[in-house]
Amino acid sequence: MLVDGAGTDEDLSQGLERFEVSNSVNLKLVMVRRAYQGLKYQRNMAWVLEKIAVSRGYEYFIATVAPHNHYSRDNCIASGFQYDHTAVKYGGATRDVLVKKLAAGEKAQELTAKAKTLEGSKDQDVVRNCIDLETCYQTDLSLATFGDVLEYADEAGEHYYGLCLQGDEKEVLIFDPEKKCQMIKPVSEEIGSLKLVGVWMCPPEAKRESDR
């Protein structure tokens, strides 16, 4: 889960030694049942929470990990966290404090700006035919953030894909079946004759060469 500890004892941005952090949120309590450990769920849940944090305007992730918890520590490091210092937290527990700069917001702004210049054009450069839907997570519309793919279908069964954009309100750039940029509309379950049939969250390791 995410915890905004600003102004409380949970504010991990206080006392950092290597980072100067503002506008941060804590990544806490990523738990996986024993039967499902080793399947990268912890790392993938952290990635989903990172997208949510960016969509809410946070600039830094901070986490604490027990020094002996090598599995969680390795997952954090693999996800881009960096060690800051070791401190005594939570009533005497020794914890490594890890920090990650969330740079995805800048990339989202660049992607959104480029996408909006393509509305109505036949330029396919920004089309997310790079998305391999079999390697993505299917979720619901409330979790969709920038770069995610919304899948629509019309009454004839033709499928349209939309690229979720970041702005003052959630918008989607719709591509027709020929993968040509068609229109930008507010995100909705229905857009004209199109009905939402899937929301796909693309993980960083998703294939980029797929023609899907």
Side-chain angles (χ1 to χ4, degrees):
M1 65 182 183
L2 298 175
V3 174
D4 187 334
T8 73
D9 292 340
E10 291 280 352
D11 190 351
L12 297 176
S13 67
Q14 301 301 309
L16 295 177
E17 298 178 1
R18 298 179 57 197
F19 290 85
E20 293 184 8
V21 168
S22 60
N23 197 16
S24 65
V25 66
N26 303 345
L27 171 64
K28 291 194 64 175
L29 298 177
V30 179
M31 297 181 290
V32 180
R33 291 181 183 274
R34 186 175 299 276
Y36 298 97
Q37 292 176 0
L39 300 176
K40 298 186 178 179
Y41 282 136
Q42 186 181 57
R43 195 178 304 177
N44 290 335
M45 283 192 290
W47 170 81
V48 171
L49 289 173
E50 180 175 334
K51 289 182 70 68
I52 295 172
V54 170
S55 74
R56 294 179 180 175
Y58 291 105
E59 298 176 1
Y60 287 88
F61 244 0
I62 308 181
T64 62
V65 180
H68 63 270
N69 188 349
H70 300 294
Y71 183 83
S72 291
R73 195 179 194 281
D74 289 347
N75 278 335
C76 284
I77 297 300
S79 298
F81 283 82
Q82 299 182 57
Y83 172 80
D84 185 89
H85 68 287
T86 299
V88 176
K89 298 283 185 182
Y90 317 121
T94 300
R95 293 290 186 265
D96 289 343
V97 181
L98 309 175
V99 179
K100 179 178 182 179
K101 175 73 166 68
L102 300 177
E106 298 171 5
K107 296 178 182 177
Q109 292 173 4
E110 293 175 6
L111 177 62
T112 295
K114 181 178 180 183
K116 289 193 172 184
T117 67
L118 296 172
E119 183 182 9
S121 79
K122 298 182 184 301
D123 191 328
Q124 300 181 34
D125 288 346
V126 78
V127 179
R128 295 306 292 264
N129 61 356
C130 58
I131 298 295
D132 180 353
L133 296 182
E134 279 76 16
T135 68
C136 298
Y137 309 106
Q138 187 167 15
T139 181
D140 58 67
L141 192 60
S142 65
L143 278 181
T145 60
F146 70 91
D148 290 335
V149 173
L150 309 185
E151 183 180 2
Y152 290 89
D154 62 16
E155 294 177 354
E158 286 277 15
H159 282 247
Y160 295 69
Y161 292 90
L163 178 65
C164 199
L165 307 180
Q166 176 171 290
D168 293 333
E169 65 174 325
K170 199 179 292 184
E171 295 179 306
V172 56
L173 175 61
I174 299 290
F175 300 96
D176 66 19
E178 301 296 321
K179 296 193 175 75
K180 295 175 183 175
C181 308
Q182 192 172 14
M183 57 188 171
I184 295 176
K185 295 288 185 181
V187 167
S188 175
E189 297 278 350
E190 296 187 15
I191 298 178
S193 63
L194 303 179
K195 293 187 178 181
L196 186 73
V197 295
V199 177
W200 304 89
M201 302 181 75
C202 179
E205 64 271 24
K207 296 179 182 178
R208 298 298 180 189
E209 69 276 6
S210 173
D211 192 39
R212 175 116 182 207

